[in-house]
Amino acid sequence: MVIASRVWNEIKANLSSAKVYLKEFLFFNTILIFILFFLIETKIILSTLIFLILFFNLVFLNAIGYKRNKELNAIKSVISGIRRNIFNLPEDIKLSYNLHSLQEEIQQMFEKERSDIEYLKKLERIRTEFLANVSHELRTPIFAIQGYIETLLDGAINDDRVNKNFLDKANQHTINLSNLLNDLIDISMIESGEMRMSYRYFNINDYINQIIQEMMPLAKEKKIELIYHPAGEGLQLFGDKARLKQAFVNLITNAIKYTEQGKVEVLIEEEQKHGKIIIRDTGIGIPPEDINRIFERFYRVDKARSRDIGGTGLGLAIVKHIIEAHNSKIEVKSELGVGSEFSFRLKK
Ligand SMILES: Nc1ncnc2c1ncn2[C@@H]1O[C@H](COP(=O)(O)OP(=O)(O)OP(=O)(O)O)[C@@H](O)[C@H]1O
Ligand SMILES: [Mg+2]
């Protein structure tokens, strides 16, 4: 009894699933019965045939409905599997041979969805890291300024041996703080696409000579030679002068900052369609394992040392953005204890 009712329920379910083909069946049957009606005169044979046709229809519909149900259930279980995260790889998603192309589509959708989620997770991680870094970097100078001011207020202001020194240090930290804020504003403007670029041709020799003059005092202070090897007379390169200046200043400042003795050179190599700009130093160099990371925001090879000389690790991140905005790429070669070379190309 139970088995009979289960079979009946299954037949009902199959027939109901095959309902979508009912129109085609009715159409086909009507034509068939119509033809038989004309061909067969004997009523009894005619009714038997019609009965048989209807019976086989039911059998067919049941078989089709059964197959359709099976396929629908397989699709449903794949979808619910995706929702419940039970698949690790797209290849784990399997449907019957007939549904091969659907299987491929679902696998591709699964892969795309997974990479979108990975990407969003990565962005979220970067955002959290960025916020943590910003707060940490802000805290350092603010705490230092607070410390010096409190000590001064507590009486050190009247102690001529330290008061000027404390004020100088507090002042240095306000400069660091303001540099950090400027860098952060630049980064956020660049990354949100708000930085307007204004490209034009300019004389590269005049341009770099001017920057070199401005940076000379910094080099002299460290007793480092700062040399520019000019390009061929009248060479014009294409770019945003103001933004490029920011990149040059960052790169030359780094070269001077991370060089203890020797020289910093700026060279231009003229190529067929580009001018290749090279900033080379005889400094401490960058360890090979750090070289791919120095363009990340806040990344410093030696955090303590870099902070002591006023670095926050945003300089090269800004440089990379600016150079990429010029459809170019910044390259770096470096050898520990020998020196580093940063280069990029600008269009002629
Ligand atoms: N010319 C160089 N020689 C050796 N190391 C360098 C050189 N340029 C960059 N670096 C390394 O790469 C790191 C990242 O440089 P970046 O300019 O982004 O930061 P920073 O100089 O520390 O701080 P700032 O934000 O003030 O520029 C530096 O901390 C330093 O360790
Ligand atoms: Mg720097």
Side-chain angles (χ1 to χ4, degrees), residues 57-69:
N57 268 332
L58 277 179
V59 174
F60 264 137
L61 280 171
N62 180 48
I64 290 174
Y66 171 75
K67 207 166 161 222
R68 188 165 181 266
N69 262 348

Side-chain angles (χ1 to χ4, degrees), residues 223-266:
K223 299 195 172 56
I224 288 166
E225 260 188 285
L226 177 57
I227 311 157
Y228 176 49
H229 303 278
E233 187 76 20
L235 176 66
Q236 302 263 328
L237 294 179
F238 189 68
D240 180 320
K241 280 172 79 173
R243 291 298 167 191
L244 282 174
K245 179 165 178 187
Q246 214 176 344
F248 274 109
V249 169
N250 262 312
L251 289 170
I252 298 172
T253 309
N254 277 350
I256 297 173
K257 243 178 19 178
Y258 302 107
T259 298
E260 294 310 331
Q261 57 183 28
K263 57 186 176 185
V264 169
E265 290 169 290
V266 182

Side-chain angles (χ1 to χ4, degrees), residues 20-63:
V20 282
Y21 305 112
L22 207 61
K23 252 196 269 166
E24 286 80 358
F25 265 82
L26 279 177
F27 178 70
F28 174 71
N29 285 325
T30 319
I31 294 177
L32 198 64
I33 294 171
F34 203 66
I35 295 171
L36 291 177
F37 202 73
F38 278 103
L39 290 181
I40 299 168
E41 280 171 10
T42 330
K43 283 235 168 73
I44 184 84
I45 298 178
L46 184 65
S47 358
T48 317
L49 275 176
I50 291 177
F51 176 78
L52 278 176
I53 288 170
L54 289 178
F55 176 75
F56 280 117
N57 268 332
L58 277 179
V59 174
F60 264 137
L61 280 171
N62 180 48

Side-chain angles (χ1 to χ4, degrees), residues 284-344:
I284 57 172
I286 303 160
E289 65 273 19
D290 292 299
I291 220 152
N292 287 327
R293 302 204 57 193
I294 53 170
F295 295 98
E296 288 174 21
R297 297 178 299 198
F298 295 110
Y299 193 83
R300 286 160 294 191
V301 174
D302 180 347
K303 273 193 191 280
R305 187 174 186 280
S306 179
R307 194 181 291 123
D308 285 347
I309 42 181
T312 49
L314 288 174
L316 286 180
I318 296 174
V319 170
K320 182 168 184 263
H321 277 302
I322 293 173
I323 303 303
E324 284 175 359
H326 284 76
N327 280 331
S328 185
K329 204 176 137 221
I330 176 115
E331 285 168 89
V332 50
K333 287 188 217 153
S334 187
E335 199 176 323
L336 269 182
V338 177
S340 311
E341 183 182 298
F342 288 77
S343 64
F344 59 94

Side-chain angles (χ1 to χ4, degrees), residues 122-139:
K122 192 174 150 212
L123 282 187
E124 182 56 29
R125 217 171 32 238
I126 292 174
R127 200 184 66 96
T128 320
E129 249 174 55
F130 183 66
L131 267 180
N133 278 326
V134 169
S135 343
H136 181 79
E137 294 302 331
L138 284 174
R139 208 174 49 185

